[in-house]
Amino acid sequence: MPVLVPNTLDEAITMLADTPGAMVLAGGTDAMVEVNAGHRRPLDVVAVNRVAELRSWTYDGAAAVVRIGAAVTYAELMEPPLAELVPALAEASRTVGSPQIRHAGTLGGNLGTCSPAGDGLPVLAALDALVHLASARGERTMPVAEFMIGVKRTARADDELITAITVPVLDGWQGYSKVGVRNAMVIALATACVAVDTPGRSVRLAIGSVGPTIIRCSEAEQLAAAEVDFTARTASVDTVARFGALAAAASRPIDDHRATADYRRHAIGVLAARLLRRAFPHE
Ligand SMILES: Cc1cc2nc3c(=O)[nH]c(=O)nc-3n(C[C@H](O)[C@H](O)[C@H](O)COP(=O)(O)OP(=O)(O)OC[C@H]3O[C@@H](n4cnc5c(N)ncnc54)[C@H](O)[C@@H]3O)c2cc1C
């Protein structure tokens, strides 16, 4: 299959417009697995990992946002200063695959695949990230919650490139947790991200691997916002327990060959409660 290798964003967009149905290839850690397994037979490939605009990130301190190019890798997300600006994304990145996968795999590819178990996605959902798309028809930006529409289904059109993800930089604790059948090289059975916005007095919770796509747990978020003390960083034992229970109740897991729905629901409750306790360590 022909592989087109653009050097600029404009070239990449033109190539996608000129080769309808072409497969975008970033790190290839999902796409090539599908091709090798015969699940996907692209006629053309547009390999975007030489496009500098997609490989870089910028921080706008005044707006308190980081704009992360779609082809930025997990290994790059794990390094300061990016890791200090969005610590939960760094934490999630550390749980991805092996060093080889973390050096090749990209955040844009995680979004492109849109698996409910994608480790970057609960963090992007909890932080209300924005996804930027571009094609020869123009550019558009949408909340990540609108971009992810189902199991491996996104709002991206065939000729669109994910160019970047804008992530708000919050003033507050944030963290990510994952349960799998072992500690490394594992597809998650349950994941959770808690992000605290201390000046905004909000606690965000997003959960993964327990529904068709990532779920925001609004009832748990409202409970936490009403009951924690943002200044003293306290949360009662009862608040932490009810936060976990509401997270479990918001999950929509299924039984599959990896775990039962009951186990996944239980795991979500434990992860959410532990994360809230880490965010508010005092009783
Ligand atoms: C051994 C192994 C272990 C893994 N472990 C984990 C894990 O622990 N956690 C996890 O979340 N994932 C894991 N993965 C899956 C994979 O590494 C991630 O989903 C990764 O983020 C994919 O990124 P990529 O750059 O390799 O994407 P690719 O494979 O290049 O692309 C993935 C999909 O996104 C599309 N795409 C990529 N970039 C763009 C773009 N800029 N615009 C539009 N579409 C685009 C592609 O067309 C394709 O459909 C693992 C994979 C392997 C092989």
Side-chain angles (χ1 to χ4, degrees), residues 23-31 33 40 70 74 95-97 101 104-106 108-110 112-113 117-119 156 160-162 178 185-186:
M23 180 180 86
V24 179
L25 186 76
T29 60
D30 277 326
V33 173
R40 204 164 167 181
Y74 296 107
T95 75
V96 172
I101 298 295
T106 65
N110 213 217
T113 297
D119 281 304
R156 184 183 85 88
E160 279 183 315
L161 199 60
I162 305 165
K178 167 175 175 177
M185 289 290 286
V186 68

